[in-house]
Amino acid sequence: MTAPAIRILNAIDDDEIRRLKAAQEFFWLDLVSPSEEQLTHLGSLLGLHPLAIEDSVKQGQRPKLDAYDDTALLVLQAAIEVQPEKKNTHPLEEVHCHISGDFIITVHGPRFTDLEQVKTLLGRSTVLKSEHYKLYKIIDVVVDSFFPVLSDLDEEINRLEDAIVSGAGRAELETIFLLKRLLLKLRRAVVPMRDVFAREVEVIADLAGLESDSHDYFRDIYDHLIRITDELDAYHEMVSGCTDLYLSTVANRQGETSKHLTIIASVFLPLSFLTGFFGMNFGWEVSHLLEGVWAFLILGLGSMLLSAGLMWWWFRRKGWTGSDG
């Protein structure tokens, strides 16, 4: 038996909700930042467990699945895309799903708008689907919200690697730390959701009133979470690689600077000796050698140029004057 088309509500309408319950018509109520009074009233209207209402009021919950007799509370985390992602200080939006055989209630903040596409999809669909399919589409959109963020992260990490190779600086180091924090936040949200769909999702399938065709749908969500986790781990390794690349680039640059300074000091070492030697004003030198312009040019400047040239030739022969790249 196939379930009737879903009725979608965007606000608490007592009369409509009572009518839908009396007619046993499955509906979806999507609430954006409801007040505590609204949630308390909704809980009494639909018979939701007080602990489930308390979790939705307080927010700040870890992804989990709690069963209360004939209802369940599924807490998920959705990802919010911001460009560039390194400036995404609040990448997550909590989504609460109150699930029953008669309804689905979603509670979330205003930043998460991806559920609008599910409303459009289910509202325009002419093919009747089961309640589990409709629940799957809602959860699937929440989980798939991570993929655009992952795509942005892939591009940013590639740009970061290019920037580090071109010339590692303080900005690149700051980007590395920002991306590490972002990846950690995302992973802390995804891993608990993965664990829920790996071990506890049968609770939803056992709710009275829901058709028992959930296994394939929820397995698909679990596969998506596995893929997201693997990508987050891979990106974390890439960012760690960027840290090593940054340190290596800085060390190479410092080595190049030290080499150049050493060459300059080595070239000036014989020059300092020659200027000191001829600057002593020995009597015999002044009387016999250092007379006239040619003596100054040949013995003075000539010896210094010759020593500098010989030193440079020797460094070139040893390959010390070229760049390591």
Side-chain angles (χ1 to χ4, degrees), residues 4-28:
I6 191 171
R7 178 78 166 86
I8 301 175
L9 304 177
N10 295 312
I12 301 175
D13 186 335
D14 291 13
D15 294 336
E16 181 67 8
I17 290 175
R18 291 191 182 95
R19 185 192 70 78
L20 292 170
K21 286 191 64 179
Q24 295 183 336
E25 183 177 344
F26 194 78
F27 66 94
W28 171 22

Side-chain angles (χ1 to χ4, degrees), residues 204-224:
I204 299 177
D206 294 338
L207 291 176
L210 292 179
E211 298 185 14
S212 57
D213 62 345
S214 63
H215 299 283
D216 292 338
Y217 295 138
F218 293 147
R219 185 168 59 245
D220 179 69
I221 293 175
Y222 177 69
D223 290 342
H224 286 192

Side-chain angles (χ1 to χ4, degrees), residues 147-167:
F147 287 113
V149 177
L150 292 175
S151 178
D152 293 341
L153 283 172
D154 183 53
E155 295 179 1
E156 288 193 27
I157 293 173
N158 289 333
R159 288 197 296 267
L160 175 61
E161 291 174 338
D162 295 338
I164 292 175
V165 172
S166 299

Side-chain angles (χ1 to χ4, degrees), residues 11 80 141 174 192 194 315:
I80 306 299
V141 166
E174 181 180 354
R194 181 196 64 187
F315 293 147

Side-chain angles (χ1 to χ4, degrees), residues 106-291:
T106 52
V107 180
H108 58 89
R111 295 195 305 151
F112 183 61
T113 59
D114 292 1
L115 288 178
E116 294 300 322
Q117 58 183 302
V118 185
K119 295 177 185 178
T120 302
L121 175 65
L122 296 179
R124 293 179 179 176
S125 177
T126 58
V127 179
L128 299 180
K129 296 288 186 178
S130 69
E131 292 93 345
H132 272 133
Y133 172 80
K134 297 159 187 173
L135 175 61
Y136 155 75
K137 293 303 295 182
I138 294 172
I139 299 175
D140 186 56
V141 166
V142 175
V143 171
D144 287 356
S145 64
F146 284 83
F147 287 113
V149 177
L150 292 175
S151 178
D152 293 341
L153 283 172
D154 183 53
E155 295 179 1
E156 288 193 27
I157 293 173
N158 289 333
R159 288 197 296 267
L160 175 61
E161 291 174 338
D162 295 338
I164 292 175
V165 172
S166 299
R170 187 176 182 86
E172 285 72 32
L173 184 61
E174 181 180 354
T175 299
I176 289 174
F177 289 136
L178 291 175
L179 291 177
K180 278 188 174 182
R181 294 191 191 102
L182 176 59
L183 288 168
L184 183 59
K185 289 179 182 178
L186 295 176
R187 198 178 191 284
R188 284 177 176 173
V190 173
V191 171
M193 290 195 292
R194 181 196 64 187
D195 294 341
V196 165
F197 282 91
R199 296 193 300 262
E200 304 176 26
V201 77
E202 294 298 328
V203 172
I204 299 177
D206 294 338
L207 291 176
L210 292 179
E211 298 185 14
S212 57
D213 62 345
S214 63
H215 299 283
D216 292 338
Y217 295 138
F218 293 147
R219 185 168 59 245
D220 179 69
I221 293 175
Y222 177 69
D223 290 342
H224 286 192
L225 289 169
I226 288 291
R227 177 184 167 190
I228 293 170
T229 305
D230 290 343
E231 291 193 23
L232 286 173
D233 290 341
Y235 291 153
H236 187 271
E237 291 181 3
M238 292 174 66
V239 173
S240 298
C242 287
T243 304
D244 297 336
L245 179 61
Y246 174 87
L247 295 176
S248 177
T249 302
V250 170
N252 289 339
R253 192 165 58 193
Q254 290 176 343
E256 284 290 320
T257 302
S258 299
K259 183 177 69 174
H260 295 158
L261 293 176
T262 302
I263 291 174
I264 293 172
S266 299
V267 170
F268 273 89
L269 182 62
L271 301 183
S272 300
F273 169 77
L274 291 173
T275 54
F277 179 79
F278 288 109
M280 296 296 291
N281 294 320
F282 292 137
W284 186 85
E285 293 176 2
V286 175
S287 301
H288 298 84
L289 296 177
L290 303 181
E291 294 180 356

Side-chain angles (χ1 to χ4, degrees), residues 61-64 73-77 94-97 193:
Q61 303 297 314
R62 192 172 185 267
K64 62 179 182 176
L73 170 62
L74 176 63
V75 179
L76 302 172
Q77 292 280 2
E94 201 167 321
V95 180
H96 288 214
C97 300
M193 290 195 292

